[in-house]
Amino acid sequence: MNSSVPHTSKPDSHALPSHHPRTALVLHGGGSAGNAWEIGVIAGLFDGGLDVTGADLIVGTSAGATVAAQISSAPTRELLDAILAPAPERQPGTIVADRSRVPVGPGVDHLERTGGIIAASADASDMRRRMGAAALELDAASDGSTSARWRATVAARLPSPSWPERDVRITAVDARTGEPVVFDRHSGVDLVDAVAASTSSGLPYTIGDDRYLDGGYRRNENADLASGYDRVLVLSPFGGRSRHPLEWGMQLAAQVDELRAGGSTVETIFPDSGALLAFGQNVMDPSTRPPAARAGYSQGKGLAAQLIDFWP
């Protein structure tokens, strides 16, 4: 542990006594491994006596958006058990679903491509516009079936297709305008579509006439959405690191400083050495999920006692 728009609606109100600290759980992206690690951490915290799934606000970005939807509609222990269950034996001839969700052209490395866009950008707003334009260009060269296939993949991962009756916010970026977007249950967008948009880091995801990109392009962890909450817990599979210039303020440290300046108490959980080893070299690889979940569970259970006083 480290101590360190369109379709957007107003936050839910909370009928809580004024003395009751309002809590927010922020879940960042990190591919297959990061998703499993976050579920493991939350399950470990629970078994250690701390249930953070009842947070007044849950913010989900990219793979963290999937976690936010999952823990809002299913017991975390069930989610953990599903990750740790032996994978069914694949029959000969079975088609393997797209694992990385980075459907770029042949021979083009996704990190190199997006890194070039970041390097050429003047600021975060310019970067988002450029990312959107590049994604739309890739989309124009595709067969147009990617969004439907990705929606089916995301839907299969969620325990429920419906928004929970609570304040869950899912981040994305409008690919056409570069504007940040925050979806919630009042946005008029299905939960499956919101999560699919937030996890779309290659081709844009289609909702009606609109196109969306990964919520991590809004502002990495997007912890700033927890402004005004008394206690904020951030799970960051990438350890708060950012690919963007520090002067843009996209990094978690800048968000934490802003939250604390506004009166919030903030705690962050980053992967420890065991979790990083479990992540391996490719966080998109589904084979990393069981070891990442186990490492997260061990971390969460070990941290629970330290966080009991922090989390009401």
Side-chain angles (χ1 to χ4, degrees):
M1 182 178 63
N2 297 268
S3 295
S4 338
V5 174
H7 298 299
T8 303
S9 56
K10 295 180 180 179
D12 288 351
S13 60
H14 298 272
L16 295 172
S18 59
H19 65 273
H20 184 93
R22 295 204 309 162
T23 56
L25 176 65
V26 178
L27 303 164
H28 186 31
S32 293
N35 170 278
W37 174 79
E38 289 183 336
I39 289 173
V41 169
I42 295 168
L45 289 171
F46 182 84
D47 284 354
L50 184 62
D51 182 8
V52 297
T53 64
D56 298 308
L57 167 68
I58 300 178
V59 177
T61 295
S62 198
T66 307
V67 178
Q70 290 170 325
I71 66 171
S72 299
S73 54
T76 311
R77 185 71 219 193
E78 287 185 10
L79 298 170
L80 178 64
D81 289 344
I83 295 172
L84 300 180
E89 192 170 323
R90 188 158 57 92
Q91 298 300 314
T94 300
I95 297 175
V96 179
D98 174 18
R99 293 178 173 181
S100 64
R101 184 49 185 168
V102 185
V104 297
V108 179
D109 179 81
H110 178 67
L111 289 177
E112 182 178 346
R113 182 180 67 88
T114 54
I117 294 172
I118 293 170
S121 301
D123 53 30
S125 295
D126 185 35
M127 180 271 296
R128 285 190 285 265
R129 287 190 294 269
R130 288 171 181 263
M131 285 289 184
L136 291 171
E137 184 177 340
L138 286 173
D139 191 38
S142 73
D143 64 6
S145 66
T146 305
S147 287
R149 289 188 286 111
W150 186 236
R151 190 183 199 282
T153 298
V154 170
R157 295 172 176 170
L158 304 187
S160 170
S162 303
W163 284 95
E165 293 293 318
R166 55 188 301 186
D167 195 355
V168 174
R169 304 182 203 173
I170 304 296
T171 63
V173 168
D174 187 311
R176 290 202 172 107
T177 66
E179 289 299 311
V181 177
V182 182
F183 297 111
D184 66 13
R185 65 190 179 94
H186 304 297
S187 301
V189 170
D190 288 348
L191 176 62
V192 175
D193 286 321
V195 174
S198 189
T199 53
S200 188
S201 59
L203 295 179
Y205 182 76
T206 300
I207 304 178
D209 294 329
D210 299 318
R211 304 290 185 274
Y212 296 97
L213 287 181
D214 192 299
Y217 294 128
R218 178 191 176 275
R219 197 180 183 191
N220 293 169
E221 288 81 2
N222 293 301
D224 58 293
L225 293 176
S227 176
Y229 283 75
D230 302 292
R231 311 288 170 82
V232 182
L233 178 63
V234 183
L235 272 60
S236 178
F238 289 142
R241 298 190 304 277
S242 176
R243 299 170 63 205
H244 308 100
L246 295 182
E247 58 266 28
W248 292 4
M250 298 279 279
Q251 69 275 16
L252 178 60
Q255 299 168 51
V256 170
D257 286 345
E258 292 167 14
L259 288 170
R260 289 177 175 158
S264 300
T265 302
V266 185
E267 293 286 357
T268 60
I269 301 179
F270 301 156
D272 61 14
S273 58
L276 292 175
L277 184 63
F279 286 8
Q281 298 299 310
N282 180 11
V283 296
M284 297 296 185
D285 183 354
S287 70
T288 63
R289 289 178 60 75
R294 291 189 192 96
Y297 178 83
S298 177
Q299 241 188 302
K301 194 167 184 180
L303 290 171
Q306 299 177 42
L307 293 170
I308 289 290
D309 291 337
F310 161 72
W311 195 265

